[in-house]
Amino acid sequence: MLISNQILISFGAEVQSYLPNQFIFNEGNTAKYYYQIKNGTVKLNNYFENGKEFIHGFPFDGHCIGESYLFTENLYAMNAVAITKCEIIRLEKHKFLRILLEEPLLFFKLNEYTADRLHFRYIVSTFLAISDPDIRIKKLLDHIKNYFNHQEKYSFLVPYTRQQLAALVGLRVETVIRSIKKMQKINLLKIDGNKIYY
């Protein structure tokens, strides 16, 4: 969790509930709130006229979304859509900025968080230059396992579905399923029902 719920609530934040497929904010909107996910998973995406979708990520419990837009006049360049039932803590922009002025260490924490997310986007972008789907998936799993500080084999429960993994690395879900099965055969990961342990 980036900022404690208690601090946010003490500054006037409210908890809002969202159902799957409900928009939290839309591309082209002005950023008026700081959003932090109390529980649930959100999809950051763009929809195109041809019906295609580009997915930027799947933040979940404890992550904030769209926070960088609170420091600029730019409009949101993506949508935030609930993909599970979500509870989102929402705080008005001016109140959020007041927290950062009163708690400067939180500003550094927020910058570190945003830098980590940018790093993740840069890494994922390089996957598009790799033609081998097995290598794309392994590199993604290596990165997220390291991010969550897991070292031991099979110690990391992958927090994404096969569909979400496919979206993150730009592959079809069928390709991801085949690659994961291959990786299981050579003992790179373990599958337990729908769960993947890496």
Side-chain angles (χ1 to χ4, degrees), residues 39-58:
N39 54 61
T41 303
V42 171
K43 172 172 63 176
L44 300 177
N45 74 348
N46 295 99
Y47 294 111
F48 299 99
E49 289 176 12
N50 61 5
K52 290 195 174 182
E53 176 184 26
F54 183 85
I55 296 176
H56 300 278
F58 297 100

Side-chain angles (χ1 to χ4, degrees), residues 145-160:
K145 181 176 182 174
N146 183 56
Y147 176 80
F148 286 105
N149 295 317
H150 286 264
Q151 306 300 324
E152 300 299 316
K153 194 171 189 176
Y154 310 141
S155 66
F156 179 61
L157 173 59
V158 177
Y160 302 117

Side-chain angles (χ1 to χ4, degrees), residues 9 28 35 39-42 49 61 71 73 79 82 91 94 104 106 113-114 119 124 130 136 142 156 167 173 190:
I9 299 294
Y35 296 98
N39 54 61
T41 303
V42 171
E49 289 176 12
D61 304 13
F71 301 99
E73 295 303 312
N79 305 299
L91 181 65
H94 73 277
L106 288 177
Y113 173 81
T114 304
H119 178 66
V124 169
I130 300 170
R136 279 193 201 187
D142 285 343
F156 179 61
V173 69
K190 186 169 73 172

Side-chain angles (χ1 to χ4, degrees), residues 32-164:
K32 295 179 180 175
Y33 299 96
Y34 170 78
Y35 296 98
Q36 186 165 289
I37 304 168
K38 186 176 179 189
N39 54 61
T41 303
V42 171
K43 172 172 63 176
L44 300 177
N45 74 348
N46 295 99
Y47 294 111
F48 299 99
E49 289 176 12
N50 61 5
K52 290 195 174 182
E53 176 184 26
F54 183 85
I55 296 176
H56 300 278
F58 297 100
F60 48 88
D61 304 13
H63 288 259
C64 58
I65 50 176
E67 75 290 343
S68 61
Y69 287 91
L70 297 172
F71 301 99
T72 175
E73 295 303 312
N74 292 330
L75 304 177
Y76 288 121
M78 77 287 189
N79 305 299
V81 185
I83 58 174
T84 64
K85 282 186 178 179
C86 291
E87 285 187 306
I88 308 285
I89 299 172
R90 185 177 89 165
L91 181 65
E92 291 175 70
K93 176 179 178 175
H94 73 277
K95 293 178 181 177
F96 172 70
L97 295 176
R98 204 174 88 223
I99 289 176
L100 298 182
L101 289 172
E102 292 183 20
E103 304 276 349
L105 288 178
L106 288 177
F107 185 69
F108 287 102
K109 192 174 175 185
L110 181 69
N111 278 334
E112 181 181 15
Y113 173 81
T114 304
D116 279 342
R117 288 233 314 250
L118 276 172
H119 178 66
F120 177 73
R121 290 308 317 153
Y122 295 146
I123 286 175
V124 169
S125 296
T126 65
F127 298 164
L128 302 177
I130 300 170
S131 58
D132 186 327
D134 299 348
I135 294 173
R136 279 193 201 187
I137 293 164
K138 184 177 184 316
K139 282 185 170 286
L140 175 64
L141 294 178
D142 285 343
H143 176 72
I144 58 176
K145 181 176 182 174
N146 183 56
Y147 176 80
F148 286 105
N149 295 317
H150 286 264
Q151 306 300 324
E152 300 299 316
K153 194 171 189 176
Y154 310 141
S155 66
F156 179 61
L157 173 59
V158 177
Y160 302 117
T161 65
R162 286 148 180 82
Q163 182 71 52
Q164 291 167 341

